[in-house]
Amino acid sequence: MSIQDIFFYILAAVIVLSALRMVTSRSIFHSAAFLAVVLSLVGGLYLLMQAEFLAAVQILVYVGAVVILIIFAIMLTSQIGNLGQSQSNKLSLPAVAACLLFLAVLVPMLVKHPWDQPAVVGANPSTSSGLVAGATNIQNIGTALMTTFTFPFELVSLALLVALVGAIVIARKDPEA
Amino acid sequence: MSLFPVGLEHYLVLSAILFAVGIFGVVTRRNAVGVLMSTELILNAVNINFVAFNHFRHPAALAGQAFAIFVITLAAAEASVGMALVVSIFRSRRSVEIEDVNILKW
């Protein structure tokens, strides 16, 4: 029982509680605040798994950009007067049942599976080409993105460009109207 | 499964719980912004899985972290397009409730 294990349980408890509050909260604005909490603490989990660069990206992109975007959308579209109204529809009970069923199937399977056995035949653990011994996590990720993952990297930048143009086209006012 | 030391299973179970909560949010939220926020929860559960498998199964490789970065990028793109759609729907129908958006329903 090390200090990392204790940190994991604290982070996990707060993440699950905040996520539950996020989907059940009446005010959509409170939901956005709880989403920010969940996303920051998931960044903490990345730190526990020694993915420092990913933790920084998580905080910068998710908490810094996506949550701000969501709060802007809430403020642009909020109707005054229905703040106290229930935010969930009539599907609550079936949805709870379905999610519990999903967990009841998945969790025992995850717990019982012998994860320590060698990987399946054909799996290639030596995909670490370009990994420099003694280099930091950030250096290794930069090298991997520019060597092994060049094509997905460029593809993602193209997707970002398309999303940027698409968001502007969708959200602008119709010039004819 | 013992509670200590924390291993791959613990992260996978946490990720499964987060995924289920996200699904619950997508199904039950009435506000379109709430649905988009719940999809962010689901994507984060997937990212936790990627990084956990990377860390516990192949510590020498970086594929899991690289793919988590791609997922984060695409989630940001998805959020921006989704919010643009929400704002556009609100402009034409004066509402962001999913139930009021039924022009494609026959």
Side-chain angles (χ1 to χ4, degrees), chain B residues 17-88:
Chain B
I17 295 173
L18 208 56
F19 188 88
V21 173
I23 292 280
F24 175 79
V26 168
V27 175
T28 58
R29 275 280 165 185
R30 293 174 70 193
N31 195 318
V33 183
V35 174
L36 283 171
M37 281 159 54
S38 305
T39 55
E40 302 296 330
L41 273 191
I42 296 175
L43 289 169
N44 266 277
V46 173
N47 270 349
I48 291 175
N49 264 2
F50 270 133
V51 181
F53 273 110
N54 192 166
H55 179 64
F56 289 102
R57 294 287 284 155
H58 299 297
L62 278 172
Q65 291 185 33
F67 268 87
I69 289 175
F70 294 144
V71 172
I72 289 178
T73 318
L74 290 177
E78 171 253 328
S80 63
V81 175
M83 293 309 159
L85 280 173
V86 168
V87 170
S88 178

Side-chain angles (χ1 to χ4, degrees), chain A:
Chain A
M1 173 164 155
S2 60
I3 189 92
Q4 278 96 345
D5 295 356
I6 299 168
F7 267 120
F8 170 79
Y9 281 112
I10 295 172
L11 284 177
V14 181
I15 283 175
V16 171
L17 287 179
S18 304
L20 283 174
R21 286 288 289 129
M22 193 208 108
V23 292
T24 53
S25 158
R26 290 210 156 198
S27 155
I28 191 78
F29 207 84
H30 289 178
S31 290
F34 280 113
L35 179 68
V37 172
V38 171
L39 296 176
S40 326
L41 295 182
V42 169
L45 281 185
Y46 294 158
L47 274 186
L48 277 184
M49 290 188 278
Q50 278 138 33
E52 303 92 2
F53 179 66
L54 205 54
V57 168
Q58 171 90 4
I59 301 290
L60 278 176
V61 175
Y62 263 124
V63 187
V66 173
V67 171
I68 299 297
L69 194 68
I70 287 172
I71 289 176
F72 263 113
I74 292 171
M75 291 198 292
L76 281 174
T77 62
S78 67
Q79 301 120 308
I80 301 142
N82 63 356
L83 278 179
Q85 198 186 340
S86 170
Q87 276 292 322
S88 55
N89 56 22
K90 293 164 196 141
L91 285 175
S92 290
L93 248 77
V96 168
C99 288
L100 287 181
L101 208 63
F102 169 75
L103 284 179
V105 173
L106 188 59
V107 169
M109 208 171 75
L110 288 177
V111 171
K112 276 190 203 126
H113 187 84
W115 294 109
D116 296 329
Q117 307 248 317
V120 287
V121 183
N124 183 13
S126 64
T127 44
S128 52
S129 57
L131 209 66
V132 185
T136 59
N137 178 247
I138 300 177
Q139 283 170 326
N140 281 331
I141 285 188
T143 315
L145 281 182
M146 281 299 161
T147 54
T148 321
F149 301 107
T150 315
F151 185 64
F153 183 73
E154 299 295 337
L155 207 63
V156 152
S157 61
L158 187 69
L160 267 185
L161 180 69
V162 172
L164 182 73
V165 176
I168 292 171
V169 169
I170 292 169
R172 73 168 178 184
K173 283 204 176 94
D174 239 349
E176 291 93 43

Side-chain angles (χ1 to χ4, degrees), chain B residues 11 83 93 106:
Chain B
Y11 282 94
M83 293 309 159
R93 302 189 75 84
W106 187 49

